[in-house]
Structure formats: C-alpha cells, structure tokens
Amino acid sequence: MVPARVIAVSPLALVTLALSGCSSLGCNDTTAERGKAGSRVQVVNTKGQPLGVTAAVVDWRLEPHPQVPSEGDRVHFRFRFDGADEYSGPAVDACAVDKKRVALGCQTIYSYQAFGPADDPQTGDDWLAVEHPEQVAGVLLIPNDQSYDRRTCEVDVKDGGGIHPPEPPSRGDRL
C-alpha cells in the first residue's frame, strides 16, 4: 500500500521535473515546407508568412572567377533584396538549375550582402560553382528564410524545438 503523502507529492515532482527541462514531453521539432523556387520570391518565415521582403535574381552569366580563373566557368549572379535593411534581414538559398529545374549547385545568400558601395546599393553578387556549367539554364531563389534556425530538441531539450527552416537544397533536387 502506498502512503497518501507519496501520492500527493508525485504530481508535484513530475511538474518540477518538466519545468526544469528534465522532460522532453514538451519539445517538438518540425521542419517547414520548402516554398516554390523562382527568380523573384516573397521571402517567408518558417510559418509561411511573408516577411515584407522580396529577393530577386537580377542577372547571371557564366565566367571564370577572377581569383581562380584556371578552374573554368562559374555562375556569377547578381541579386537584390527589397524591403530588408543593411544590419539584419533574411537569407535565402540560391541555386543554379538546368532546364528541368534540377539543382546543379546551391548556397545561402544573405540580404546584408546586397548592401554597400555600388551603383545600386541594394544589389549584391555571388558565385556558384557547378560541375557542368554548360547545363545551367538559370538561377532560382527559394523563398524560405534561412537566417535563423532555432536550437533543436536534440541539442537543447529545455529551450529547443519549434519550426525549423526546410533543409537546404542539394545538387540533384528538383526545384
């Protein structure tokens, strides 16, 4: 037979353990769904809500990178973020794609890269290395904000969890 005092204290002990982070009952990780890629996208948060920022590919071309011309052509692209400020803001994934919208190479670009002393201070540029540059048909942006990824439950049971940006695209992903 269990003494009444033990029964009365048990729920209190469980609440204390849960609040102290010793229980993973309240920690859930979910991944946002990847948005539709385009040459001009409305940047969205992990809940799919617009952030009031538009990211666009201004132009792109194949050419050797000036620091490593011996490596052959790379994808040199210019991009623009409208609605972001120069100190903080979103990041999106940029991908060189073939005619079927299959990713040939991707990387994350940040809105702060688009600010600086240029003809258009909201326009930046970057380079994508791809295995077969002759297959590149365009550069697309994925609208999901990649600038902030919360801690996971695995890393921090107490403060982790929540919705995370989608996994970055990989070579071979169809966008």
Side-chain angles (χ1 to χ4, degrees), residues 64-109:
H65 191 287
Q67 294 177 337
V68 285
S70 62
E71 293 182 4
D73 283 344
R74 291 189 180 182
V75 180
H76 184 203
F77 68 102
R78 290 186 330 121
F79 56 90
R80 179 178 174 89
F81 280 88
D82 289 314
D85 64 49
E86 62 184 294
Y87 301 108
S88 63
V92 295
D93 289 318
C95 297
V97 297
D98 67 11
K99 291 178 187 174
K100 295 180 181 177
R101 296 175 61 113
V102 174
L104 303 172
C106 301
Q107 69 184 40
T108 303
I109 56 170

Side-chain angles (χ1 to χ4, degrees), residues 3-18:
R5 195 177 329 167
V6 172
I7 293 173
V9 174
S10 295
L12 182 59
L14 290 174
V15 168
T16 303
L17 285 173

